[in-house]
Amino acid sequence: MIIISWNIRGVRSPSKRIAIRDLISNNRGQLIFLQETKLEQMTDSVVRELVPFHRPEWCGKNAMGTAGGILCIWDPRFVSVQNHLIGDYYIIFEVTDLSSNKVWFTGVIYGPSTYRQRAVFWEDLSNAVGQHQGPWLLGGDFNATLSRNEKHPP
């Protein structure tokens, strides 16, 4: 299975949409995670514009204004997705790789940018992950750094 994850920082411009489609096409992406879509309303037509395959399936968390947004897209010929759980800063679901019948859970994250919200986010994510037994893949943009230098180099 080929998974693509990208903090796209907005999918409104035609050039970004073309870049996403090209990346998916060139790498044969089957499960795609986009963070920071900046879309207040995701639609089937937007999703179809982003992927090179027919009949994509998807779930998403709309942006608040122009901040945030998560979009998960999959090709149902290769991937089955069930049991979506959408939190304030994540989407969690069960994935089945149809070529191997392997099942695991995945979480796509676009974490909060403020310290106060992060504590609530980590607790909420921990509780959500704790409800599901089995292999996991967590990815995305956690908006977390180990030191100030990661955000603002000297």
Side-chain angles (χ1 to χ4, degrees):
M1 170 172 308
I2 299 169
I3 301 171
I4 296 173
S5 181
W6 188 2
N7 181 334
I8 190 63
R9 295 189 175 99
V11 297
R12 292 177 189 212
S13 78
S15 62
K16 283 268 182 95
R17 292 182 184 194
I18 291 168
I20 293 166
R21 187 181 186 90
D22 288 348
L23 177 73
I24 295 167
S25 180
N26 293 338
N27 293 283
R28 298 185 185 145
Q30 299 165 340
L31 183 58
I32 297 94
F33 307 144
L34 300 175
Q35 304 89 44
E36 202 174 359
T37 62
K38 298 185 178 185
L39 288 177
E40 288 184 82
Q41 184 65 43
M42 294 181 211
T43 65
D44 285 334
S45 62
V46 168
V47 172
R48 283 193 305 272
E49 196 176 329
L50 297 175
V51 297
F53 48 85
H54 299 291
R55 295 188 182 96
E57 294 184 5
W58 63 278
C59 66
K61 172 148 182 47
N62 293 329
M64 300 294 266
T66 59
I70 301 170
L71 179 58
C72 306
I73 309 168
W74 58 94
D75 187 335
R77 296 173 301 168
F78 304 102
V79 181
S80 173
V81 171
Q82 294 95 185
N83 304 322
H84 307 85
L85 172 63
I86 300 177
D88 289 338
Y89 300 101
Y90 58 80
I91 300 175
I92 290 175
F93 46 88
E94 181 181 315
V95 176
T96 303
D97 180 339
L98 298 177
S99 67
S100 67
N101 285 325
K102 291 188 179 180
V103 178
W104 74 91
F105 295 94
T106 191
V108 183
I109 313 298
Y110 184 68
S113 57
T114 67
Y115 179 78
R116 194 171 293 158
Q117 291 172 315
R118 263 188 228 126
V120 173
F121 158 68
W122 284 111
E123 184 175 336
D124 185 36
L125 181 62
S126 177
N127 290 334
V129 168
Q131 295 176 22
H132 304 285
Q133 300 300 313
W136 270 91
L137 169 68
L138 288 176
D141 183 348
F142 288 79
N143 271 323
T145 58
L146 295 175
S147 71
R148 287 182 184 260
N149 290 346
E150 288 185 47
K151 272 198 164 187
H152 307 288

